[in-house]
Amino acid sequence: MAVAAAAMTVLLRPSTTHFLNPRHRLSPRFCRLCSFSLPSSATQTLEAQPQPAIPNVVDILRERGLVESITSDNLRSVCSNPNSIPLKVYCGFDPTAESLHLGNLIGIIVLAWFRRCGHKTIALIGGATGRVGDPSGKSLERPELDVETIEKNCAQIRALVHRILHRANTNIELKMGSPKDEILNSDCKDSDNCFLVVDNFDWYKEITLLDFLREVGRYARVGTMMAKESVKMRLMSEEGISYTEFTYQLLQGYDFFYMFKNMGVNVQIGGSDQWGNITAGTELIRKILQVEGAYGLTFPLLLKSDGSKFGKSEGGAIWLSPAILSPYKFYQYFISVPDVDVVRFLKILTFLNLEEIQELEEAMKKPSYVPNTTQKRLAEEVTRFVHGEEGLAEAVKATKALKPGSETELDPETIEGIAKDVPSCCLPYDQVLNSLLVEISVTSGFLASKSAARRLIKQGGFYLNNKRVDNEGKMIEEFDIVSGKLLLLSAGKKNKMVIKIS
């Protein structure tokens, strides 16, 4: 082992400027960007020492349905080796919006699982690749964003990811899926050393196109690039694929190469649609550095019941940022998950023990089961992970307060908290006071007609501030207006409207 490590050190030591090809001199700028040294421990023989059992993260992820493919079975072996240096794992997020969405959440969760098992984790924000756009899983080219928007998105996504992973890192001594007595690694006391959030624009901003083509592009084979599934699908489409999008896989591949070489990152994870981009990176590492030890792992995409992705461009995105989607609305989504999906979501979106999930599944089959009990647990766990205890408390409070028929007295903060998540309108105070509720429901656009409002009242489904309305002649009185400025109309349990009164 020592001989092999020494040979690698000679081949890849920083002074070896011709690491790509001895006959080809590299540009000084490119050499500076790609300066590389192996960890000192890689040049020394590791003495076998008694080590505590290391939970195998690949096994855990497989048990929970979070592994689609891995580039080598050796990844599992490395994860089980107590003498192995903790792996460094990264997942990339392109800043194509000001927030990540539910489809991105699995990547954060898989990172958290690696961290819980003692590995180092990195979230990569695509400040450079976001300017190109990934064609994977897309039928059309992504809309182009201006630099100012991309930089703003990068800052917001960086803060969001850091917030979620920081919270996840403060409570890592939790029981895992199986077996029960296996406790997660908690060696890292400094959360900032347990994960990093980096931006690939930091290394791309100094590379010229000629540098990139000369030093990296010549190792890419067009036939291999065209064989990638994401490219083949777009080539067969009416829109085709632009050269810009065609080269995306090489850019993402270079990210892995750069981080492997300069940061010691040896695992890239991503959704199943990222397989081609991930293998582009492992191929570059093998061809340019002529070493093994770079691995890729993909997880299944989180799909809707119709088979479509939880993305923003597909519509109906469940955003992770509370500035775009309130914790209440986020919580409500999981409360409404169909029974057929709830157990699967518990396995892939929470850190609950698999035995506990099985107990919840068995309880759903019993006659005494209270509907939505399992969904409530799912909503609590996922909301806590994304929005923290405060966000969960806010969501639970709003859910109880806004439930039609609830005895909880409404306050303006609770109503205003959901105003951005439900339809709302503004009406003058004089137009509302002493007016028929039936007329207000139509004027506000809440219901299509007065007859529809009267029919809803007769059916017992019309609520004003959570109180059932049983009189078609109900007038809006002063005490009905919450804090003199708000009304909450509800049709059944889900359809609501906030009327802001000026």
Side-chain angles (χ1 to χ4, degrees), residues 106-276:
I106 299 185
I108 299 176
I109 287 173
V110 174
L111 282 179
W113 273 117
F114 271 96
R115 175 63 210 114
R116 283 165 172 252
C117 294
H119 303 291
K120 306 294 184 180
T121 53
I122 298 174
L124 174 65
I125 310 301
T129 45
R131 304 176 191 220
V132 174
D134 184 2
S136 301
K138 299 295 178 183
S139 57
L140 297 172
E141 188 159 356
R142 295 175 185 266
E144 183 179 357
L145 301 177
D146 59 72
V147 173
E148 183 180 353
T149 299
I150 290 174
E151 290 177 347
K152 178 183 176 182
N153 291 350
C154 282
Q156 292 179 332
I157 291 175
R158 176 188 286 268
L160 174 65
V161 172
H162 190 279
R163 191 163 58 243
I164 294 175
L165 288 177
H166 178 75
R167 273 199 303 264
N169 215 44
T170 59
N171 188 24
I172 61 175
E173 293 185 352
L174 298 177
K175 298 280 186 176
M176 288 187 306
S178 174
K180 260 189 172 181
D181 59 348
E182 210 166 33
I183 304 297
L184 298 173
N185 183 294
S186 60
D187 290 340
C188 183
K189 303 303 181 184
D190 181 358
S191 62
D192 289 335
N193 288 330
C194 295
F195 70 90
L196 292 173
V197 183
V198 299
D199 189 330
N200 61 12
F201 187 69
D202 290 341
W203 51 83
Y204 272 113
K205 63 186 177 183
E206 294 187 34
I207 301 178
T208 68
L209 175 61
L210 291 179
D211 284 341
F212 189 81
L213 291 176
R214 182 174 56 191
E215 316 300 352
V216 179
R218 63 197 185 90
Y219 285 90
R221 292 294 172 262
V222 173
T224 302
M225 294 175 69
M226 292 183 67
K228 303 291 186 184
E229 193 62 31
S230 59
V231 174
K232 287 197 298 185
M233 290 179 60
R234 289 291 297 276
L235 285 174
M236 292 186 295
S237 69
E238 185 177 340
E239 291 289 328
I241 186 170
S242 68
Y243 176 76
T244 300
E245 285 191 311
F246 178 65
T247 59
Y248 183 93
Q249 60 180 285
L250 200 53
L251 296 176
Q252 184 169 325
Y254 179 74
D255 283 338
F256 197 1
F257 165 81
Y258 179 91
M259 296 174 75
F260 179 90
K261 196 169 188 302
N262 294 280
M263 301 168 66
V265 175
N266 40 21
V267 182
Q268 181 183 177
I269 65 170
S272 57
D273 61 349
Q274 293 298 305
W275 179 256

Side-chain angles (χ1 to χ4, degrees), residues 279-354:
T279 55
T282 57
E283 289 165 6
L284 278 180
I285 292 167
R286 187 177 65 254
K287 289 179 180 179
I288 297 177
L289 300 180
Q290 298 181 5
V291 296
E292 301 295 334
Y295 306 100
L297 180 149
T298 61
F299 42 81
L301 300 176
L302 187 63
L303 302 178
K304 302 177 186 177
S305 55
D306 62 1
S308 61
K309 291 168 57 177
F310 279 94
K312 56 192 176 302
S313 56
E314 289 79 9
I318 308 299
W319 300 103
L320 304 187
S321 171
I324 301 177
L325 188 73
S326 71
Y328 162 76
K329 196 69 174 179
F330 185 85
Y331 180 91
Q332 287 301 308
Y333 171 76
F334 290 101
I335 285 286
S336 304
V337 166
D339 285 351
V340 69
D341 290 329
V342 67
V343 172
R344 177 171 62 93
F345 279 18
L346 279 169
K347 290 179 180 179
I348 64 180
L349 295 177
T350 79
F351 300 93
L352 290 180
N353 189 287
L354 288 178

